[in-house]
Amino acid sequence: MRLRNITGSREIIAQNRFVINDAKSHKGNISREVFNNEAPLRIEIGMGKGRFITELASGNRDINYIGIEKYSSVLLRALQKMEENELPNLFFLRMDAEYITDYFGTGEIDRIYLNFSDPWPKDRHAKRRLMSRNFLDKYTGILKKDGLIEFKTDNRPLFDFAVEEVKEAGWELVACTYDLHNDEEMVRGNIMTEYEEKFHSIGNPICKYIIRNVK
Ligand code: SAM
């Protein structure tokens, strides 16, 4: 998702009280030092305008959430939503997931959400896909043992790639559907993302897996 570059968005974000700007200094202690509690920490990587994580945090006040987004102009939209409806258990981080292990300590994360991640269709860019083995290895370091990743997309070739990577990277496939909205069990409690709403409304089946960090 590339929104028009918004002048000054970096500066606005740097001063926003819902953004963790000194995240590296809290590495390993984010729940205690940022949220002032010991609740489990869950993150969404590539959250876009933040609809999914905002609704998730709103319905689960006993869990801490961080929405991660690479682009300031996109993150700004999520901050505008938060200004209208403040949540004590949600913060944001502007960061490229490539560097995620610089920000979170070993086993610090309880769950990771990946929604409609960029496909990077060229084979030579496969390592940039957020569910590639390259990234799964990074997540292994920050996710607690038996922690989960939930991934949704309407892009079938990307999903097939992601399922293959699960085996290669030695994770456990817990649940998998190629048509989420017609899967009675997996759709229960589903929160739609902006992209999901768009693609579901034009009839695209949504794929979802849940995988476990067994290492
Ligand atoms: N998750 C949202 C949804 O389902 O509506 C947005 C999906 S959009 C296709 C992908 C988002 O991931 C974009 O906002 C993009 O800027 C962000 N993104 C892509 N690569 C990223 C990375 N390496 N680190 C952090 N965010 C990233």
Side-chain angles (χ1 to χ4, degrees):
M1 181 187 296
R2 296 299 297 269
L3 295 180
R4 194 170 43 84
N5 192 34
I6 300 170
T7 316
S9 54
R10 263 192 190 232
E11 291 70 23
I12 296 169
I13 282 162
Q15 289 163 19
N16 190 283
R17 64 201 160 105
F18 304 121
V19 177
I20 312 171
N21 279 304
D22 51 352
K24 284 185 187 173
S25 70
H26 300 294
K27 183 175 175 178
N29 299 303
I30 292 189
S31 276
R32 194 175 321 123
E33 295 177 4
V34 176
F35 294 87
N36 295 314
N37 62 41
E38 301 284 345
L41 180 60
R42 300 184 177 178
I43 63 174
E44 183 187 6
I45 306 174
M47 64 159 184
K49 296 185 218 161
R51 169 180 164 176
F52 171 85
I53 194 135
T54 303
E55 203 175 320
L56 194 62
S58 178
N60 298 279
R61 303 292 178 109
D62 54 341
I63 294 169
N64 296 331
Y65 293 93
I66 297 177
I68 295 170
E69 173 53 48
K70 190 167 157 178
Y71 295 107
S72 309
S73 50
V74 184
L75 172 53
L76 211 50
R77 308 296 169 120
L79 295 177
Q80 284 160 353
K81 242 178 253 161
M82 187 81 153
E83 295 288 352
E84 290 158 19
N85 181 24
E86 278 191 35
L87 293 167
N89 59 330
L90 176 60
F91 280 88
F92 300 101
L93 192 52
R94 194 188 62 74
M95 184 197 82
D96 184 333
E98 180 65 28
Y99 307 106
I100 197 155
T101 53
D102 295 344
Y103 291 80
F104 297 100
T106 309
E108 184 167 20
I109 308 289
D110 174 75
R111 193 170 301 186
I112 299 174
Y113 298 96
L114 301 172
N115 291 314
F116 296 80
S117 310
D118 293 343
W120 292 104
K122 293 189 176 130
D123 283 348
R124 70 172 191 276
H125 292 148
K127 273 177 74 172
R128 298 185 190 174
R129 299 173 191 151
L130 293 180
M131 69 309 296
S132 65
R133 72 192 78 169
N134 170 41
F135 274 97
L136 290 180
D137 286 348
K138 292 182 199 287
Y139 305 148
T140 294
I142 58 170
L143 199 59
K144 69 178 193 190
K145 175 141 188 341
D146 292 327
L148 302 175
I149 296 181
E150 299 194 12
F151 168 54
K152 291 195 277 190
T153 184
D154 71 317
N155 184 323
R156 183 62 192 267
L158 181 67
F159 191 69
D160 289 342
F161 166 83
V163 171
E164 282 299 314
E165 293 294 272
V166 173
K167 277 182 248 154
E168 294 296 333
W171 287 56
E172 180 191 336
L173 189 65
V174 177
C176 182
T177 177
Y178 293 87
D179 190 0
L180 175 64
H181 291 266
N182 285 307
D183 185 314
E184 210 178 305
E185 204 171 310
M186 284 190 76
V187 81
R188 206 171 295 131
N190 184 55
I191 295 174
M192 293 261 244
T193 77
E194 275 100 355
Y195 271 64
E196 184 173 358
E197 174 93 46
K198 188 164 99 183
F199 293 123
H200 176 60
S201 73
I202 59 169
N204 292 7
I206 308 299
C207 305
K208 175 175 178 174
Y209 76 37
I210 301 174
I211 62 173
R212 181 178 287 131
N213 180 27
V214 288
K215 285 188 185 167

